[in-house]
Amino acid sequence: MTIIYFIRHATSDHENHDERKRGLTEKGLNDCKLVTDYLMDKGIDLLFSSPYRRSLLTIQDFADTKQLNIQEIEDFRERKVDSGWIDDFKTFAKNQWEDFHYKLNNGETLKEVQDRNISALQQLLIDQQGKTFAIATHGTALSTIINYYQPSFEFDAFWHIVDIMPWVVKMTFDGTTCQHIESIDLFTNSKTHIY
C-alpha cells in the first residue's frame, strides 16, 4: 500500500496577489506547527510540494525537523484563475464546478487542473510505490484530485473546506488504485470518510 498525506497550505497572505510568491500570514506560519505535529509519527519517507511559496512554507518546519528535502513538482501547482485578481471568487468557483471546462480568458479549467494533478500523482504512485509521503498542495487542486476518485465531491464539498487551512487529506492506494480517502481537520482532530 502507498499512503499519501495531501497538505493544503496554511492561511496565505492575500495582500500579495503573486500566486507563486505569496507567503503565509502570521496565523498561517503558526499553524504550520499543527502540520508538523500531525505528520511526526506518520512514517513519512518523502516530501513533495507545489512550487508555490505558501505550500512550501507549510511543510518547511516538518521538513527541517525530520531533515527531509522537499521535492517541487510543477504540476501540483494551484489552478490559474486569470491574469489578475478576482473579487467574487465564490461565483467564479461555482461556475467552474458546474462546468469543468469553464475558465476566464487567461485561466485554467478545472479539467485542465485535474488532468495535470492526476498525471503527476499517478507518476508518483508508480515511482514511489509502497512508500508513505506527503504532498503540499492547494484547495482547488486537491479538490479536483478528490473529485477524480469521488465524483460526488463537487462545489458544496469544496466550499465547505474553502476556509480550512491547513487541511489534510489522507489517501491510500493499492498500486494506482485508490482504496480510501479521509479528511482530517487539524483544528478539531476530527476525521471524515470521503471514499
Side-chain angles (χ1 to χ4, degrees):
M1 289 291 180
T2 302
I3 298 173
I4 304 174
Y5 294 91
F6 286 91
I7 314 295
R8 191 252 183 114
H9 64 78
T11 305
S12 64
D13 178 10
H14 287 287
E15 294 298 312
N16 182 349
H17 293 176
D18 186 320
E19 281 291 299
R20 287 188 175 268
K21 296 179 181 177
R22 184 189 316 151
L24 301 176
T25 62
E26 184 175 346
K27 180 185 185 305
L29 289 168
N30 290 333
D31 287 343
C32 293
K33 185 65 175 155
L34 294 171
V35 174
T36 298
D37 291 345
Y38 177 78
L39 292 177
M40 281 301 288
D41 64 350
K42 300 302 184 287
I44 303 294
D45 300 307
L46 299 161
L47 290 177
F48 300 94
S49 180
S50 153
Y52 289 10
R53 188 164 179 258
R54 58 192 182 275
S55 291
L56 290 161
L57 286 172
T58 300
I59 59 167
Q60 189 63 59
D61 181 68
F62 176 74
D64 292 344
T65 302
K66 298 293 279 187
Q67 297 184 319
L68 292 170
N69 291 323
I70 303 171
Q71 301 176 57
E72 295 180 27
I73 297 180
E74 182 69 25
D75 281 344
F76 284 133
R77 70 191 181 277
E78 181 60 300
R79 171 257 297 109
K80 182 179 181 184
V81 175
D82 203 354
S83 297
W85 189 260
I86 62 166
D87 293 319
D88 187 0
F89 178 73
K90 184 173 185 178
T91 298
F92 166 73
K94 194 168 193 298
N95 288 337
Q96 285 214 302
W97 281 96
E98 289 176 351
D99 177 2
F100 256 45
H101 297 281
Y102 174 84
K103 67 177 178 179
L104 299 179
N105 288 339
N106 294 307
E108 286 182 289
T109 69
L110 289 190
K111 181 72 169 87
E112 290 170 325
V113 176
Q114 185 181 65
D115 285 351
R116 64 174 164 77
N117 274 269
I118 290 297
S119 177
L121 172 58
Q122 290 181 338
Q123 190 60 55
L124 280 183
L125 290 169
I126 293 167
D127 295 344
Q128 309 298 341
Q129 188 170 352
K131 294 184 179 176
T132 298
F133 51 93
I135 301 172
T137 184
H138 306 267
T140 301
L142 175 53
S143 293
T144 67
I145 293 172
I146 296 170
N147 170 271
Y148 180 83
Y149 298 106
Q150 178 53 279
S152 66
F153 193 97
E154 298 178 302
F155 175 75
D156 288 343
F158 166 74
W159 201 252
H160 176 73
I161 62 90
V162 76
D163 291 323
I164 302 175
M165 294 175 272
W167 177 48
V168 177
V169 173
K170 178 184 178 183
M171 293 191 184
T172 306
F173 291 86
D174 182 359
T176 58
T177 302
C178 185
Q179 300 290 320
H180 183 75
I181 303 176
E182 182 178 67
S183 166
I184 297 104
D185 186 329
L186 298 181
F187 298 97
T188 64
N189 293 315
S190 61
K191 298 178 181 178
T192 305
H193 176 78
I194 296 177
Y195 175 82

